Amino acid sequence: MSTAKPLHVLIAGGGLSGLALAQGLIKDGHTCEVFERDAGDTRKIGYYLHMNADGGEALRRCLPADLFELYAQTSRRTYERRESVVLDDQLNELSSQPHLGPPNEGERPHTGVHRRTLRAILRARLGDAFHPGQPVTGYQETPGKVTVTLAKGGTARGDVLVGADGIRSAVRGQKLPGTTVIDTGVRGLGVFGRTPLTPELAAQLPPQLFEGVIIAADRKGSRLLIAVYRPRQRPQDAAAAIAPDVTLEPVGDYVMISCSVPPGTVIPPAAQSTDGTPAMLRDAMLAAIEGWHPAARALVASVDLNSIFVIPFGFLEPAPPWEPSRVTLVGDAAHAMLPTLGLGANLALRDAAHLLGQLSAAACGEAALVPAIGAFEQGMRDYVYPFMRMTSEHDKQFGGGALEGR
């Protein structure tokens, strides 16, 4: 895309939305810098990500053609049913509902990805534009520019600052200081792990577990999320064939699980975890699903202990409209929501694509920059805020409401 006046965009945060925006800016002829808090890529942040057309088409807009193809080929094989499905504790179907989001059809619909694979694709070719271990702590707006302050000292200057720095965003803390994070802790689901999908285990699983995104539930309040990842093509093979300059880690077939633990289970903070914590959590999950279908118990019993981690959930209340400026927000920094409907990543990627469109339109002289940013923000609020409210009523929304009252 030809721009009359390319922009230099500062991006606080190297998560999915920040990296997707960076790829799109470069694709459209702009320059950018991404300031990421993590110095390395070892933090456990999840495994399987459900993708719908919001997220997938945003990746098509932001990524160069070969990297988009790499995303599509490393996504899981097309579901038999593109629905959210609720099963009982004996894995009998109770209800289902089409996935939320726009239509998702065609020969190769968007399905689901391994998070680390997608992150590696989004990181590809950014080079010196990516700054790990350098979080943004604050900013200052001056006429025509924005300057950020970095945690390790130093500053950077650009035309626009995008806060993509997550639920506890430093950028949002300065721009919208009245916004607070609502912590919900670990409730129902929140202990995650990855179970290798061996031929022996696959033979034990009923066919419906391969058909979509599943939550099984009993009448005592225990729940088990089940998401199978079997890619269309092995990541390392796809990279070699499509984008040989990109290195992707080998990933075997697996089932991502997230399971309840019994009430009163003490879950230590990550910093206080010991070598025995993963086995304790696995045993707690097994206790929560005592008496369930043998396949459900096999999924939990076979979990890779090194893969287990805990996510204390939190969310934001929708913020009232704010005055647009050269500083804006995307993803969890703008609208963190509970993950139970599988929408957060998709909406964050949608933000990146829609902001990219407005920034490039402004650079081409089709709109003034700040009003273009304001148009993005209003469109984001109009589209995302209803989903934020829906996630707070998860039991009514997932799978047609069969979780409600269970």
Side-chain angles (χ1 to χ4, degrees):
M1 179 173 180
S2 175
T3 57
K5 188 178 179 181
L7 298 169
H8 183 62
V9 178
L10 308 176
I11 302 171
L16 300 182
S17 59
L19 293 175
L21 178 60
Q23 289 283 352
L25 289 165
I26 294 169
K27 180 180 178 180
D28 279 11
H30 307 286
T31 59
C32 64
E33 293 179 88
V34 181
F35 299 96
E36 162 59 25
R37 68 169 182 169
D38 288 341
D41 199 22
T42 59
R43 183 163 57 95
K44 293 178 181 177
I45 52 175
Y47 301 115
Y48 180 85
L49 279 176
H50 165 67
M51 297 293 292
N52 65 21
D54 270 336
E57 292 306 306
L59 289 171
R60 190 193 303 275
R61 169 66 180 92
C62 292
L63 288 171
D66 61 339
L67 294 187
F68 177 79
E69 179 67 14
L70 189 54
Y71 145 75
Q73 278 300 101
T74 56
S75 297
R76 74 158 278 173
R77 303 173 200 172
T78 302
Y79 298 102
E80 291 296 319
R81 301 165 62 181
R82 288 188 287 283
E83 297 177 313
S84 302
V85 181
V86 177
L87 308 179
D88 67 14
D89 55 0
Q90 301 307 311
L91 305 184
N92 302 303
E93 184 168 331
L94 297 174
S95 70
S96 65
Q97 179 172 290
H99 287 147
L100 297 170
N104 183 23
E105 302 297 338
E107 292 185 9
R108 195 172 54 178
H110 305 290
T111 54
V113 296
H114 183 55
R115 182 188 281 267
R116 285 181 62 87
T117 297
L118 179 58
R119 181 173 169 79
I121 293 169
L122 291 170
R123 275 281 314 275
R125 303 172 188 159
L126 293 184
D128 293 340
F130 185 78
H131 304 283
Q134 293 198 55
V136 169
T137 59
Y139 65 86
Q140 181 180 8
E141 292 187 71
T142 56
K145 295 290 179 182
V146 183
T147 301
V148 298
T149 304
L150 306 175
K152 292 185 177 180
T155 60
R157 193 164 180 254
D159 299 300
V160 175
L161 168 62
V162 180
D165 46 346
I167 188 171
R168 303 189 187 279
S169 166
V171 176
R172 187 192 68 246
Q174 183 173 339
K175 184 172 181 66
L176 303 175
T179 307
T180 58
V181 176
I182 301 171
D183 290 304
T184 63
V186 178
R187 296 183 184 175
L189 302 175
V191 180
F192 286 80
R194 191 170 74 174
T195 299
L197 187 59
T198 64
E200 294 76 18
L201 179 61
Q204 299 180 55
L205 302 183
Q208 61 265 35
L209 299 190
F210 296 90
E211 293 178 350
V213 178
I214 309 292
I215 288 184
D218 65 16
R219 294 193 177 278
K220 298 181 295 183
S222 294
R223 299 182 181 186
L224 174 63
L225 170 70
I226 302 167
V228 173
Y229 175 73
R230 294 188 295 178
R232 292 173 173 132
Q233 188 174 4
R234 297 288 174 204
Q236 66 273 26
D237 296 338
I242 298 168
D245 62 314
V246 178
T247 300
L248 297 181
E249 299 172 347
V251 183
D253 295 351
Y254 67 82
V255 184
M256 186 184 78
I257 62 169
S258 179
C259 190
S260 300
V261 294
T265 301
V266 178
I267 301 176
Q272 298 175 21
S273 180
T274 68
D275 291 344
T277 298
M280 179 276 289
L281 291 172
R282 177 204 57 202
D283 293 345
M285 290 189 284
L286 283 170
I289 59 170
E290 181 68 33
W292 283 38
H293 190 286
R297 293 185 59 79
L299 283 172
V300 175
S302 302
V303 68
D304 177 0
L305 293 180
N306 291 326
S307 75
I308 293 177
F309 72 102
V310 176
I311 298 179
F313 294 145
F315 64 95
L316 300 174
E317 293 286 357
W322 57 86
E323 188 68 24
S325 73
R326 289 174 178 263
V327 178
T328 191
L329 303 167
V330 296
D332 281 355
H335 47 71
M337 63 186 71
L338 295 174
T340 43
L341 296 179
L343 295 176
N346 290 282
L347 295 172
L349 292 168
R350 181 185 185 274
D351 288 348
H354 281 246
L355 177 58
L356 172 65
Q358 292 291 347
L359 293 177
S360 290
C364 289
E366 297 173 9
L369 179 59
V370 171
I373 292 171
F376 155 72
E377 292 170 341
Q378 188 57 52
M380 174 183 66
R381 288 188 289 262
D382 290 344
Y383 192 83
V384 175
Y385 280 9
F387 288 121
M388 293 179 75
R389 298 182 179 98
M390 289 175 70
T391 60
S392 66
E393 297 183 329
H394 170 256
D395 287 5
K396 295 181 181 179
Q397 304 295 339
F398 190 95
L403 286 168
E404 192 170 18
R406 291 193 71 82

